[in-house]
Amino acid sequence: MIRTRQEIGRAQRIVVKIGSSLLADAEQVGSVGTDGVQMQRVQRFTNEIARLHASGMQLVLVSSGAVALGCVQLGWVGRNLSVHEKQAAAAVGQPALMQAWKKAFAEHDIAVAQMLLTGDDLRHRRRYLNASNTSETLFAAGVIPIVNENDTVVVKEIKFGDNDNLGALVSLLTDADLLVIMTDVDALYDANPAKSANAQRIDLVVTVTPDIMDMAGDADSTFGTGGMSSKLRAAHIATRGGVATAVISGDSEGALAALLDGEDIGTLFACGGDRQTRRQHWISEVLPVAGQISIDDGAARALRKQGASLLPVGVRAVDGAFDKGECVEIVCQGDTIARGLCNYSAVEMRQLIGVASDDIEKVLGYRDFSSVVHRDNLVLLSGAEES
Ligand code: GLU
């Protein structure tokens, strides 16, 4: 696991995420026959990635730009687009995006593969494993997978939200050592560098705390949906899963190689001590939440301080309609303190409110478990440990 700049050079498997604003050229708007791609940039990134590939590293590219390129080609830049228009734009832009990468990598004799994923793919165990096996097979064949969200089929509720998040999930899916987010700012600053001359670059972040999140502000660019806060969220998800994350400029030549040489550029989010297991990550970040269980203070204390399982006696209320085994939020006094897989359905849980574990069989007619959420299936959310 990478904890310092000096350790970055050890990375063998790297996910590089490149944002839309680096790839799409708003100047080409509506010009007939243009594909909107900033080809020189694509070539520059490709040269850098090809060098790393030649040195034996395994790389995945998460490339945004489908929607933006589609907008350029359709003359839609600057328009307020409906979900369907964005999906249509992505359908137009994605082939242009892939064609640009394919052409650039072909000059280095490197084959590329398109992987389009949706949030749903990562929530379903079998699809997750398929995506993971496919990327392993591509690595073994020396092919560079190029990932984007499958924008034409996602609906709002299952959208990743942005490709920074996708990059983080892909870094976990592929068991990468490092996620590099290349963007149009060169690092995280403690204030907005466009507005404050005293803004200081943050070179190393050990834990993404609420104070760090506040530094992100709401800066945004013409293309892309991310801004710095989505990069911080991505860094949080990746580092908790054991993948160090760097945010560096996509504008300066050689930045990727410099980062891997341990040079002090951009912001490095190191892996801290609070690493989640794959299973914990799955529960806290990936699975959809199907309901809420409200618990009393005593039960909340037992979860937080003793790492205990949640027993029915501590349950005060149940919301939602969930089946056995689904993911629920565990709430105390209005704060969500944990997530976990519930051993009983919502209908059963309503009967078990405040019931002693020994009486579960009497109430339900059977008893599979004495706990309603077992500690192995329960993840405290950040901040919940201390309060
Ligand atoms: N998947 C979107 C695209 O390729 C980008 C989303 C984002 O900007 O993060 O256009």
Side-chain angles (χ1 to χ4, degrees):
M1 255 195 311
I2 296 171
R3 292 203 167 86
T4 62
R5 293 248 172 212
Q6 293 69 39
E7 288 171 349
I8 291 189
R10 292 194 203 150
Q12 273 306 301
R13 192 171 279 184
I14 304 173
V15 174
V16 180
K17 186 263 167 179
I18 301 183
S20 300
S21 56
L22 294 168
L23 299 173
D25 187 353
E27 300 301 313
Q28 295 184 25
V29 177
S31 335
V32 178
T34 175
D35 57 11
V37 178
Q38 300 208 42
M39 202 55 204
Q40 279 182 348
R41 279 246 180 79
V42 168
Q43 275 157 345
R44 176 160 64 70
F45 290 132
T46 303
N47 294 345
E48 291 195 38
I49 291 168
R51 263 199 296 277
L52 302 179
H53 181 83
S55 74
M57 289 177 188
Q58 291 173 325
L59 292 119
V60 182
L61 192 55
V62 174
S63 175
S64 303
V67 175
L69 294 182
C71 286
V72 173
Q73 290 184 51
L74 295 165
W76 288 358
V77 175
R79 263 177 61 170
N80 223 346
L81 301 182
S82 68
V83 174
H84 294 306
E85 284 170 328
K86 280 191 202 155
Q87 292 177 317
V92 172
Q94 181 64 26
L97 188 62
M98 278 311 294
Q99 213 169 354
W101 287 119
K102 188 170 161 36
K103 190 162 165 245
F105 276 106
E107 283 170 27
H108 298 269
D109 284 326
I110 298 173
V112 295
Q114 169 178 265
M115 284 180 78
L116 297 178
L117 299 174
T118 67
D120 244 14
D121 296 329
L122 302 183
R123 281 184 202 110
H124 285 93
R125 191 85 191 136
R126 191 176 298 160
R127 289 201 223 164
Y128 184 92
L129 291 175
N130 278 340
S132 164
N133 290 339
T134 302
S135 51
E136 288 300 333
T137 310
L138 292 169
F139 289 139
V143 176
I144 296 188
I146 302 185
V147 181
N148 197 357
E149 186 169 24
N150 194 354
D151 292 305
T152 52
V153 299
V154 292
V155 292
K156 225 176 182 162
E157 302 81 278
I158 58 161
K159 209 165 153 46
F160 283 111
D162 58 78
N163 274 13
D164 296 323
N165 185 33
L166 177 60
L169 296 180
V170 167
S171 73
L172 297 167
L173 174 84
T174 56
D175 225 346
D177 311 299
L178 181 67
L179 165 66
V180 182
I181 299 179
M182 301 190 89
T183 183
D184 51 6
V185 290
D186 66 348
L188 173 67
Y189 282 80
D190 61 359
N192 184 343
K195 292 186 186 149
S196 159
N198 297 329
Q200 297 283 322
R201 175 176 68 96
I202 312 279
D203 64 336
L204 181 73
V205 174
V206 176
T207 312
V208 183
T209 58
D211 282 351
I212 297 277
M213 283 305 290
D214 284 347
M215 288 177 192
D218 52 7
D220 229 332
S221 52
T222 324
F223 293 130
T225 50
M228 192 46 91
S229 55
S230 79
K231 289 166 184 52
L232 294 184
R233 273 195 302 278
H236 181 63
I237 293 172
T239 52
R240 284 203 83 182
V243 184
T245 302
V247 173
I248 59 171
S249 164
D251 272 327
S252 46
E253 183 138 17
L256 191 54
L259 174 80
L260 288 163
D261 279 345
E263 276 182 39
D264 186 17
I265 57 163
T267 300
L268 175 66
F269 299 83
C271 296
D274 62 344
R275 187 179 180 184
Q276 287 184 321
T277 63
R278 282 292 137 97
R279 185 173 177 77
Q280 288 170 326
H281 169 260
W282 185 258
I283 293 170
S284 67
E285 310 287 349
V286 180
L287 285 178
V289 173
Q292 277 84 26
I293 297 180
S294 301
I295 63 172
D296 61 25
D297 289 340
R301 233 181 348 262
L303 301 192
R304 284 170 174 148
K305 304 270 187 250
Q306 294 148 28
S309 296
L310 177 63
L311 304 179
V313 71
V315 175
R316 287 286 159 267
V318 175
D319 274 315
F322 49 87
D323 278 332
K324 238 182 232 246
E326 285 203 273
C327 182
V328 294
E329 282 179 339
I330 299 172
V331 179
C332 183
Q333 301 205 18
D335 291 330
T336 303
I337 61 164
R339 275 196 197 177
L341 307 183
C342 192
N343 289 330
Y344 295 96
S345 71
V347 173
E348 292 169 334
M349 282 303 301
R350 289 196 175 91
Q351 294 172 261
L352 292 179
I353 291 173
V355 167
S357 295
D358 285 346
D359 293 336
I360 293 179
E361 186 161 2
K362 214 166 17 182
V363 175
L364 298 181
Y366 79 102
R367 183 176 93 160
D368 275 350
F369 304 91
S370 55
S371 62
V372 293
V373 180
H374 190 268
R375 58 194 290 173
D376 291 347
N377 295 327
L378 186 145
V379 184
L380 288 173
L381 301 182
S382 5
E385 293 92 338
E386 296 88 46
S387 34

